[in-house]
Amino acid sequence: YGGDVFGTVCFITLIIALIFLYQKNMFTIMVDPVTGGYSSSRFNQEAEYLIRHSVPGDYTFIVMNTVSFKLLNDIYSYDESNRILKYIHNTILKYMGKCEILARSSADDFNLLIRTTSEEAIIQKLDLIVDEINRFNDELTEKQWIMFSVGVYQIVDTALPVIHIRDRANIARKKLKIPTGDILYSCGFYEEEDRARLQQENILTNKMEDALKNQDFKVYLQPKADISTGRMINAEALVRWKDADMGLIPPDEFIPLFERIGFIRRLDLYMWEQVCICLRRWMDAGLQPIPISVNLSRMHLINKDFLAPFVKVQKKYCIPPELLELELTETAFQDLPDAIPEAISQIHLAGYTCSLDDFGSGYSSLNNLETLDIDVLKLDCKFLRDARTENDKGHIVIEELIHLARRLGITVCCEGVETENQLAFLRKCHCDIGQGYLFSKPVEVAVFEQRLSGDSSV
Ligand code: C2E
Ligand code: CA
Ligand code: CA
């Protein structure tokens, strides 16, 4: 009898222990130990349920990735970082309505499933959330901004598994540059064509390393002409990707991608080396070399010592530095205003010419002309395109810009010269240099060399 009782007690204890363990386990599966909110698996389950039982378009999926968190992780302890994550979670949670859910999906990323509203309303909500999250900075002298990169997908396909829904929100998120400076978040909305673009980008990303090794990136040269004489005085190196399957790919299709993933730094240096090789060949063949400019992506400027590998290559081929020019675009001046004067002085120290590219295409600042020590101002082709009629305001703007730059001792190169009329106009306003289809399209190096060995007029 005693043995029976003992056996029953053991059995019941075992059952209780099993139930306890099961619940504890479930608890850890359902709850995120860091935030105390939904775990990602609970989020996925509930999201799947809510979406399946909704009308297409009813729900919107948002991914919010913290951009600067890795930095915070370095500054703060593990526990403190977790407290910050919990704080972010709880702040977002305040903005969640009925039948809306939130979870931390991975280290420092958050997923939100909310009822669909207009894009403006979503932006307004994000403004509020990100502002509130960053309000702790009010009391700090040294601000620690928490920045986000956000992607939004309005769920029209309710049969899609949550992982694919999240992928779409992430595709939208990756469309944009990560926020910098005083912008605390960037936000992209998913559009159908994004998927095709991403596929194309994946193909290019998979091919780029081999392409660089196989020398599939080609230098094309476009002459720049002295406006007063029409003679070719220098040239710009422009990249083309010659792919066996896809043919000739123009730079606009891969440069923005390469800038995002950082590969542009290697490509620019490769172009620079090809240009040095080309100049060396001309010199060795007894041709009169003309200076060549190479585009320098703003991605280089993140690194203080960015110019060292360029100088090394130039010295390797013994190229006189005055034959080399670097073109920096104006956007660099907004993104990294502090790095620019230093970059320009490094470029000058190495003996290269420095030009400000695409002036007028973005938020140009006349202030840049006064404060930055650039040698050449490249007026964006937009100016000539806009200035169609003789007395157009656009003409006045070009005229005044040329006048101003000249007074500041800066050489002016006008891009996109396509017609004789435009050339006559530029001549009238004493523009120094012109570049455009009227003189020549960018051509392969071999074609360019033939012209160089013949008459140097364009
Ligand atoms: P960009 O530096 O402003 O180069 C001038 C672009 O205008 C070139 O386009 C050129 O072909 C085009 N162009 C020249 N003349 C005319 C004209 O008369 N009319 C019109 N409508 N267009 C003209 P491309 O070669 O497609 O290059 C596009 C952009 O890609 C370049 O703009 C530059 O920002 C970037 N890029 C090209 N090669 C490189 C490179 O090696 N490195 C980096 N970082 N960027 C590059
Ligand atoms: Ca350029
Ligand atoms: Ca340009």
Side-chain angles (χ1 to χ4, degrees):
Y1 177 73
D4 272 2
V5 172
F6 181 71
T8 315
V9 169
C10 280
F11 182 70
I12 292 171
T13 314
L14 186 68
I15 296 290
I16 292 171
L18 279 175
I19 292 173
F20 176 75
L21 279 174
Y22 176 75
Q23 279 188 338
K24 188 166 186 297
N25 206 18
M26 280 308 283
F27 184 76
T28 48
I29 290 173
M30 299 309 239
V31 174
D32 175 1
V34 171
T35 64
Y38 278 21
S39 66
S40 65
S41 47
R42 175 160 186 197
F43 176 91
N44 289 349
Q45 267 173 30
E46 285 200 18
E48 199 103 32
Y49 180 86
L50 289 169
I51 294 162
R52 287 288 167 277
H53 294 86
S54 70
V55 178
D58 218 15
Y59 270 110
T60 293
F61 198 101
I62 301 181
V63 288
M64 279 183 83
N65 284 18
T66 40
V67 174
S68 44
F69 204 79
K70 309 274 174 302
L71 234 159
L72 291 180
N73 251 338
D74 292 342
I75 301 171
Y76 297 113
S77 67
Y78 179 76
D79 284 348
E80 204 133 350
S81 299
N82 280 352
R83 252 199 307 283
I84 299 172
L85 287 172
K86 186 175 175 137
Y87 160 74
I88 296 174
H89 172 272
N90 290 349
T91 311
I92 303 174
L93 197 61
K94 288 194 213 162
Y95 293 85
M96 306 296 290
K98 222 173 137 217
C99 292
E100 296 184 338
I101 53 173
L102 159 75
R104 187 176 69 107
S105 68
S106 62
D108 48 6
D109 302 331
F110 294 86
N111 287 175
L112 292 71
L113 184 71
I114 61 162
R115 294 270 179 192
T116 298
T117 49
S118 66
E119 290 192 2
E120 292 76 32
I122 291 177
I123 293 285
Q124 271 172 11
K125 187 181 253 190
L126 288 169
D127 281 347
L128 290 173
I129 293 176
V130 175
D131 265 5
E132 184 169 342
I133 289 172
N134 278 288
R135 211 165 288 152
F136 69 92
N137 275 302
D138 293 352
E139 288 145 30
L140 298 182
T141 36
E142 225 162 278
K143 313 283 184 204
Q144 300 292 347
W145 302 114
I146 299 180
M147 293 187 272
F148 294 89
S149 140
V150 183
V152 181
Y153 170 55
Q154 184 184 347
I155 306 163
V156 271
D157 184 354
T158 52
L160 213 60
V162 172
I163 0 172
H164 295 315
I165 289 175
R166 184 181 295 111
D167 281 349
R168 290 190 179 186
N170 271 317
I171 288 172
R173 185 175 64 77
K174 287 179 193 154
K175 277 207 284 199
L176 301 164
K177 275 196 318 184
I178 52 169
T180 49
D182 32 342
I183 302 159
L184 288 176
Y185 76 98
S186 64
C187 175
F189 290 84
Y190 178 85
E191 286 154 317
E192 259 319 306
E193 57 266 28
D194 291 338
R195 207 150 39 115
R197 190 184 42 81
L198 197 81
Q199 265 164 5
Q200 171 72 358
E201 286 189 358
N202 280 342
I203 296 173
L204 297 180
T205 311
N206 289 335
K207 277 174 174 260
M208 67 191 189
E209 291 283 349
D210 284 343
L212 195 64
K213 247 183 260 145
N214 300 340
Q215 308 217 320
D216 290 342
F217 292 107
K218 306 287 177 200
V219 175
Y220 271 54
L221 293 172
Q222 186 177 35
K224 297 182 204 168
D226 179 328
I227 293 273
S228 58
T229 64
R231 290 179 80 81
M232 168 160 76
I233 48 168
N234 47 41
E236 173 173 5
L238 293 155
V239 67
R240 301 287 179 267
W241 183 347
K242 231 178 206 165
D243 182 78
D245 311 318
M246 294 189 283
L248 205 64
I249 315 169
D252 290 339
E253 285 180 30
F254 55 87
I255 297 279
L257 165 72
F258 288 180
E259 290 200 318
R260 248 183 295 132
I261 60 181
F263 188 70
I264 192 68
R265 283 184 286 205
R266 287 171 58 201
L267 180 62
D268 281 352
L269 190 61
Y270 173 84
M271 290 291 286
W272 178 262
E273 176 150 22
Q274 294 306 306
V275 162
C276 288
I277 291 172
C278 180
L279 286 166
R280 182 75 263 154
R281 196 172 50 241
W282 293 349
M283 287 188 285
D284 291 346
L287 289 172
Q288 179 66 40
I290 59 165
I292 301 182
S293 63
V294 173
N295 290 284
L296 185 79
S297 163
R298 62 178 181 279
M299 291 302 295
H300 295 273
L301 308 180
I302 297 167
N303 173 2
K304 269 200 163 65
D305 237 358
F306 76 94
L307 204 61
F310 288 81
V311 173
K312 200 169 156 202
V313 169
Q314 170 242 326
K315 293 208 164 132
K316 177 175 160 196
Y317 296 97
C318 300
I319 308 297
E322 47 300 350
L323 287 179
L324 291 161
E325 175 175 335
L326 283 166
E327 298 194 5
L328 271 164
T329 57
E330 253 221 307
T331 35
F333 292 72
Q334 296 153 32
D335 292 357
L336 300 148
D338 301 337
I340 306 300
E342 172 59 24
I344 297 175
S345 78
Q346 275 194 49
I347 291 172
H348 281 154
L349 207 65
Y352 315 135
T353 304
C354 179
S355 55
L356 177 52
D357 200 3
D358 298 345
F359 187 83
S361 65
Y363 300 94
S364 300
S365 163
L366 286 179
N367 210 21
N368 284 338
L369 299 188
E370 188 204 324
T371 53
L372 298 170
D373 187 20
I374 50 157
D375 309 299
V376 183
L377 177 70
K378 293 193 79 181
L379 295 182
D380 194 73
C381 46
K382 146 186 187 294
F383 283 113
L384 281 183
R385 236 190 355 250
D386 291 352
R388 295 218 175 81
T389 54
E390 190 63 25
N391 293 318
D392 199 43
K393 281 185 184 160
H395 274 145
I396 301 172
V397 173
I398 304 184
E399 221 172 320
E400 290 305 316
L401 273 176
I402 294 173
H403 187 61
L404 175 67
R406 287 180 69 99
R407 286 191 63 192
L408 292 167
I410 301 168
T411 302
V412 184
C413 172
C414 196
E415 300 189 287
V417 187
E418 292 179 350
T419 66
E420 288 291 348
N421 276 347
Q422 291 171 336
L423 177 61
F425 166 70
L426 291 175
R427 201 172 281 137
K428 201 182 87 196
C429 16
H430 306 289
C431 179
D432 305 285
I433 304 170
Q435 181 179 358
Y437 296 162
L438 178 68
F439 306 111
S440 166
K441 289 201 162 181
V443 293
E444 283 171 71
V445 172
V447 176
F448 192 89
E449 273 172 9
Q450 276 168 7
R451 290 192 197 162
L452 198 66
S453 49
D455 181 4
S456 64
S457 64
V458 188

